Amino acid sequence: MVPALHASTDLPPDELRRQNSELRRINGLLAGILESVTESFIAVDSNWRFTYANPRVAAQLGRTEEALIGTSLWEAAPDLAGSDFELQYRMVMRERRPVNFETYYKPRGKWYDVHAFPAEGGIAAYVIDTTARKRAEQLVLADEAVKLSDQILNQLPDAILVTDLDGNIHQWLGGAEQMFGYAAQEALGRPVDFLHLPELRDDIRARILADIERSGGFFGEVPCVHKNGARILVETKAKSVLDDSGQPLFLVSINRDVTKRKQTEESLKQSEAKLAEAQQLAHLGSWEWDVRENKVAWSAGMYRIYGLEPHEFRPSYESFLERVHPEDRADTQRIIQSAFDERGSFDHDHRIICPDGSVRTLQARGQMSLDEAGHPIRMVGTAQDITERKRIEEEIRRLNAGLEKRVEERTADLQRSNDDLQQFAYVSSHDLQEPLRTIISYTQLLEKRYRDRLDAQADEFIGFVVEGAQRMSALIADLLAYSRVTNAGPSALSFVDVEAVVASVTMSLTTAAKETGAEIRHDPLPTVCGDEYQLIVLFQNLIANAIKYRGADAPQIRISAERSGQDWLFSVHDNGIGIETEYRERIFGLFKRLHGRDVPGTGLGLAICKKVVERHGGRIWVESQPRAGSTFRFTLPEA
Ligand code: ADP
């Protein structure tokens, strides 16, 4: 029932009728108004039972208007208990006078302007929702408060933003323009998420709203985009500012550009990761010992090397020493201590025992860091697992030792059989000479006595025998010379004047030189360290060959020497027939000849030369072109 106005009863009947009809009209009008207003209107009797509730009230209480009539106000709206509403309504009921009050009604989170007055034994109340107006007022107040401090805020590098509950920007302060690139007039009034990275906009909004809902604030990193398109990472600290009743009114956020910090952190993280990877690859770990705090920190690599888990082991100098192999402990301790005392460094290999009982060898290095006053601050260092390297080194050492021993044994064997062989060659060639000489003498005797007494063929046969025997004699003589070279030990070494050697050889070759018109010249020649007899054999063979293997012209032989590092390089040059390239190596072999019987020789001369040079620690080779002469070169150590 609509609370009605009543006409006074002490009026003339006509007037009363008119007034009544007028009142009905007004009451009807009033009812219509009350039905349609968006504000709440109620009326209750003296027992607090609804006599009227407009549709708005019914909707708020979740019942039909009809159902409400007769229902107790306190029963239909239990939330009212203890509120301003209850207090004031009861006062109106009791004191029968109207009141007007403004109140914040927590259960609905709203502000209300309430008019309550006595009516028909009960009370009626008209309730206006003023939340929006209230907010606007407070926002203006807050805006003003913030504006006052603009000057201070604008000095800050951080961007300070005030946004309303819909996310629209109200204030654009501090370093906002600098950070995002927009001037205040471009940003104000726009939804704050225009600053956020477009593809993450929804996510960011959801994240911020969820946090604010839960805790009244937000703290996190928000990917944003600068006006120039650059991506920036912003650390946002936002807090909702509440009104007097504790309701969120707007959001203030302090935003800091952490792009660079983040990049630095990222690259630090990356280089740490790389370091860890490198340490793993190199079986390396690093540690740091804060001397003043006596705190030791190990890298992941250290734990790996020691076979320990970071959660089960607290590194310290003492706990480290416990892991060191007992046999290496005293040394390790002493070396580290002395590095410590001398404010220096150490590099020391020691073994450790891992939890599984295995033993590893580490190369440990450490370096002391000092403060300006020279006091130790910390020691930093590395440990490298060199177990495998050590094992391989050991293996190599063992193999080498074995190998050396075998080589020694072999060399001794070879030396023995070589000596035997030399002995045999020497003895046999020496002893062979004897019967051969007999053969030669008697054949020659035979030839002399019985020439002409035998037939021509017999003479020829005797000639063959003599020639063969002579050749064999020459061969044996050379073999003897060859084996003598080997048999001569280092005891025969002395200072040898090569000039004297060449002079004596030239002398012995005078006849041959005269016969062929050979000219033997030499440059000044040095003194060397060698075996004189062998050097005579060497020059004798080379000069004799230079005469023997002459070309059409008379032999021109030239001997010279020059320094070559620690050695002397000798050359014996001739203008003879020369040697084909393919035979340059071969001619130094035993019995290797390029000529037939027509040219006398045994093929041993150059083999002897090679042996002599090599026994003196030198090298011999020939440089030659066919028909363009040859140069035999060899080195001998300086005296
Ligand atoms: P032999 O002279 O007794 O044959 P060598 O060992 O002294 O033996 O020489 C080997 C071969 O090298 C010779 O047969 C000859 O063909 C060649 N030879 C040596 N010296 C010369 C030289 N100065 N010029 C050309 N050929 C040479």
Side-chain angles (χ1 to χ4, degrees):
M1 199 202 103
V2 178
L5 297 173
H6 298 280
S8 175
T9 44
D10 49 356
L11 286 172
D14 274 2
E15 183 57 12
L16 198 64
R17 246 192 328 273
R18 198 191 58 75
Q19 279 196 3
N20 272 339
S21 102
E22 180 63 3
L23 275 171
R24 262 196 308 279
R25 197 181 63 78
I26 292 172
N27 277 340
L29 205 62
L30 187 61
I33 292 168
L34 291 177
E35 297 290 314
S36 60
V37 288
T38 54
E39 273 67 41
S40 311
F41 190 81
I42 60 161
V44 294
D45 63 17
S46 56
N47 289 320
W48 300 101
R49 277 196 286 267
F50 277 102
T51 53
Y52 177 76
N54 77 345
R56 170 99 176 143
V57 174
Q60 279 174 348
L61 296 177
R63 306 201 188 178
T64 62
E65 294 158 65
E66 290 75 31
L68 278 177
I69 305 299
T71 311
S72 157
L73 169 65
W74 311 124
E75 183 204 315
D79 287 350
L80 290 181
S83 71
D84 273 1
F85 286 94
E86 186 184 6
L87 203 75
Q88 301 282 354
Y89 284 179
R90 284 194 190 282
M91 198 180 76
V92 175
M93 188 73 96
R94 200 169 52 242
E95 297 182 7
R96 312 303 301 163
R97 62 178 177 83
V99 293
N100 173 213
F101 60 95
E102 193 168 41
T103 185
Y104 177 70
Y105 187 49
K106 213 160 186 184
R108 289 196 192 282
K110 293 206 179 271
W111 283 90
Y112 293 110
D113 186 16
V114 186
H115 293 264
F117 45 86
E120 294 190 328
I123 66 165
Y126 184 59
V127 181
I128 306 162
D129 181 345
T130 56
T131 314
R133 197 197 68 219
K134 202 76 184 164
R135 288 255 151 79
E137 281 169 18
Q138 276 173 320
L139 209 56
V140 169
L141 282 176
D143 271 6
E144 264 155 21
V146 173
K147 260 185 212 134
L148 282 179
S149 45
D150 268 13
Q151 274 184 321
I152 303 166
L153 293 177
N154 285 334
Q155 304 298 313
L156 296 177
D158 293 347
I160 298 178
L161 269 55
V162 177
T163 51
D164 63 21
L165 295 181
D166 296 326
N168 297 315
I169 300 173
H170 266 250
Q171 297 283 344
W172 185 251
L173 303 167
E177 178 168 350
Q178 170 83 11
M179 189 178 301
F180 295 104
Y182 297 95
Q185 62 270 24
E186 293 176 281
L188 290 175
R190 292 179 74 173
V192 71
D193 62 5
F194 89 100
L195 300 168
H196 301 158
L197 193 68
E199 52 268 40
L200 292 178
R201 229 165 247 173
D202 293 344
D203 275 6
I204 296 169
R205 189 203 315 230
R207 192 150 60 95
I208 295 178
L209 288 179
D211 278 13
I212 288 178
E213 180 95 343
R214 203 181 51 245
S215 64
F218 167 82
F219 179 68
E221 283 164 358
V222 180
C224 294
V225 183
H226 188 273
K227 189 181 179 185
N228 67 12
R231 283 179 65 153
I232 48 176
L233 190 68
V234 175
E235 185 184 86
T236 296
K237 201 184 279 181
K239 196 149 180 53
S240 47
V241 172
L242 308 179
D243 62 17
D244 303 344
S245 59
Q247 276 305 289
L249 204 52
F250 54 86
L251 206 65
V252 177
S253 65
I254 299 174
N255 304 276
R256 180 165 294 182
D257 185 347
V258 292
T259 319
K260 280 218 179 70
R261 190 185 78 196
K262 207 65 194 174
Q263 281 166 353
T264 315
E265 280 173 11
E266 203 49 46
S267 63
L268 201 67
K269 229 187 268 168
Q270 274 177 12
S271 46
E272 269 172 7
K274 273 189 202 145
L275 185 68
E277 207 174 306
Q279 290 198 348
Q280 186 170 3
L281 280 176
H283 301 285
L284 194 77
S286 56
W287 51 265
E288 189 173 328
W289 174 19
D290 183 332
V291 175
R292 289 190 282 205
E293 303 273 321
N294 193 21
K295 270 197 195 135
V296 177
W298 276 13
S299 74
M302 284 295 282
Y303 288 99
R304 207 170 18 246
I305 291 172
Y306 276 76
L308 294 164
E309 292 293 334
H311 62 264
E312 61 177 27
F313 181 73
R314 248 180 75 102
S316 70
Y317 180 55
E318 293 73 23
S319 61
F320 146 75
L321 273 180
E322 278 168 23
R323 311 271 146 182
V324 174
H325 193 290
E327 288 172 18
D328 296 351
R329 203 171 286 154
D331 262 1
T332 306
Q333 202 169 359
R334 184 178 48 74
I335 285 165
I336 296 179
Q337 185 66 46
S338 83
F340 190 92
D341 294 344
E342 287 160 21
R343 317 272 191 261
S345 60
F346 69 88
D347 184 344
H348 166 60
D349 293 357
H350 66 82
R351 289 165 298 167
I352 55 162
I353 299 183
C354 294
D356 63 3
S358 62
V359 174
R360 292 187 190 172
T361 308
L362 307 190
Q363 181 179 37
R365 292 191 167 120
Q367 169 81 49
M368 201 80 225
S369 300
L370 308 174
D371 66 10
E372 280 157 9
H375 298 124
I377 317 172
R378 64 176 160 272
M379 197 175 234
V380 289
T382 56
Q384 187 168 22
D385 184 353
I386 54 166
T387 316
E388 189 58 13
R389 194 176 85 196
K390 276 271 163 170
R391 195 187 60 72
I392 292 171
E393 278 173 10
E394 194 46 48
E395 182 84 347
I396 290 173
R397 220 183 346 263
R398 217 171 43 71
L399 283 175
N400 268 349
L403 213 60
E404 261 166 34
K405 193 156 167 272
R406 285 217 327 258
V407 168
E408 259 168 36
E409 285 167 4
R410 273 288 165 79
T411 314
D413 279 356
L414 272 174
Q415 191 63 43
R416 232 184 342 268
S417 59
N418 219 16
D419 288 352
D420 291 350
L421 210 64
Q422 301 286 353
Q423 200 62 25
F424 170 76
Y426 182 76
V427 170
S428 54
S429 46
H430 188 267
D431 291 357
L432 278 175
Q433 286 288 28
E434 197 43 45
L436 204 55
R437 252 184 240 122
T438 314
I439 295 174
I440 292 169
S441 320
Y442 281 93
T443 323
Q444 280 171 340
L445 210 59
L446 203 66
E447 191 189 20
K448 224 189 263 168
R449 292 246 181 111
Y450 296 93
R451 190 186 288 269
D452 306 332
R453 285 209 240 160
L454 300 170
D455 59 15
Q457 212 172 24
D459 287 348
E460 197 187 357
F461 289 169
I462 291 171
F464 286 154
V465 174
V466 172
E467 193 194 312
Q470 275 169 343
R471 257 178 23 84
M472 184 176 253
S473 171
L475 267 171
I476 289 171
D478 278 355
L479 264 178
L480 211 52
Y482 184 81
S483 61
R484 265 205 206 108
V485 172
T486 321
N487 285 342
S491 57
L493 287 183
S494 62
F495 293 123
V496 181
D497 176 3
V498 179
E499 214 153 294
V501 168
V502 170
S504 108
V505 170
T506 308
M507 181 80 87
S508 70
L509 290 171
T510 314
T511 318
K514 269 204 183 123
E515 277 173 15
T516 54
E519 187 188 5
I520 305 170
R521 288 181 300 141
H522 66 83
D523 292 350
L525 298 171
T527 294
V528 296
C529 178
D531 178 319
E532 186 173 18
Y533 168 74
Q534 292 183 6
L535 293 182
I536 289 176
V537 172
L538 170 65
F539 279 96
Q540 170 87 32
N541 273 308
L542 292 177
I543 298 171
N545 277 351
I547 297 173
K548 188 158 62 168
Y549 299 105
R550 63 185 174 276
D553 302 330
Q556 296 280 329
I557 300 159
R558 184 161 168 226
I559 301 140
S560 60
E562 62 189 275
R563 292 306 302 257
S564 164
Q566 296 285 308
D567 299 330
W568 283 102
L569 172 63
F570 291 89
S571 306
V572 178
H573 174 77
D574 66 47
N575 60 340
I577 57 172
I579 301 163
E580 295 280 357
T581 313
E582 58 188 295
Y583 299 123
R584 277 189 212 158
E585 297 275 334
R586 205 190 319 159
I587 52 173
F588 292 98
L590 275 173
F591 304 114
K592 293 289 184 271
R593 309 197 65 221
L594 303 180
H595 292 83
R597 297 258 173 86
D598 47 324
V599 183
T602 58
L604 272 170
L606 288 180
I608 293 171
C609 292
K610 184 163 189 265
K611 208 160 191 189
V612 168
V613 170
E614 285 175 358
R615 280 193 69 89
H616 281 78
R619 228 159 52 76
I620 185 165
W621 68 99
V622 65
E623 291 162 11
S624 177
Q625 291 296 329
R627 293 173 299 281
S630 310
T631 306
F632 282 84
R633 292 188 194 278
F634 56 92
T635 59
L636 289 178
E638 65 173 341

